[in-house]
Amino acid sequence: MVGRARAEEREGFFASAAASLPTKRIATAPDIAEAVVLLATNPNITGTILETIGGAHLTA
């Protein structure tokens, strides 16, 4: 019962966080992996921090 309540709280938290983002979704593991591949394979990207934050900085 406790595990289920925590899972529901977690789902509620992520749903609330997603609703506040311009993209309306939380990044998935494949989303992050795609960003990593981009950084690892593009020779023109050097010394860069790539934020995968769903546009959160646009809502502040």
Side-chain angles (χ1 to χ4, degrees):
M1 188 79 170
V2 172
R4 182 179 179 146
R6 289 184 182 152
E8 290 171 358
E9 288 176 19
R10 184 175 57 247
E11 289 172 11
F13 171 80
F14 282 113
S16 174
S20 71
L21 295 172
T23 58
K24 301 296 183 208
R25 60 188 287 276
I26 300 293
T28 62
D31 294 332
I32 304 303
E34 186 176 340
V36 170
V37 169
L38 171 70
L39 290 173
T41 59
N42 188 321
N44 290 311
I45 300 176
T46 58
T48 299
I49 297 172
L50 183 63
E51 296 180 344
T52 56
I53 58 174
H57 65 284
L58 299 173
T59 62

